[in-house]
Amino acid sequence: MSRPAREQRPARRSLLVALLGACLIGGLAIVLLPIGWMLNRFVVWLYYAGRSMGIPPFVTIETYDVALNLLLFALPVALAATLWPRVRWWLWALIALTLSTTVELVQFAALPRDASAADVLVNTIGAVVGAGAVALMRTTRRRTAESRLRPPKG
């Protein structure tokens, strides 16, 4: 491996760690601060912004809410799966299920927020999507590298 490539690895890892930290801090703020009304306003604003850009009306406010819940877990899990490639995808899903269930229980017991089993499901699916995307990219990269190493048929 060339010297510049070796020097890029720690910088890339540091960037991924920083992005993961920002996602976790932002995610915890979103789910644990008593700002549900602000989040609802943001989702409504996104809905109307989407409508003004031509997104059809069958894409409802609830669709935006589900998409944002998916993203809330997909992005940090994708970053974590990139940082720790030996952790299996199903373990990321189990961690997300546990974390999401805990968050919903805290919201129910201690915050003026609505707790939802549907959120737990959507968050867990988001984690599977994030971990699956990283696994798919790895498989594609590995197959591409293997095909370059094989001599051509013929």
Side-chain angles (χ1 to χ4, degrees), residues 10-31:
R12 179 178 177 258
R13 185 166 183 81
S14 295
L15 176 62
L16 290 173
V17 167
L19 288 172
L20 178 59
C23 283
L24 293 176
I25 290 169
L28 286 173
I30 287 170
V31 298

Side-chain angles (χ1 to χ4, degrees), residues 55-127:
I55 293 178
F58 65 79
V59 179
T60 64
I61 291 175
E62 290 79 15
T63 307
Y64 280 85
D65 190 44
V66 167
L68 290 171
N69 267 309
L70 276 167
L71 186 61
L72 183 66
F73 275 72
L75 182 58
V77 167
L79 291 168
T82 302
L83 284 164
W84 295 286
R86 292 185 178 155
V87 177
R88 304 243 186 240
W89 71 268
W90 56 265
L91 189 54
W92 291 119
L94 186 61
I95 291 167
L97 174 65
T98 304
L99 181 61
S100 184
T101 301
T102 303
V103 163
E104 293 299 320
L105 289 173
V106 168
Q107 286 180 348
F108 174 75
L111 294 173
R113 305 265 307 256
D114 293 330
S116 165
D119 283 352
V120 173
L121 178 64
V122 172
N123 293 341
T124 305
I125 291 169

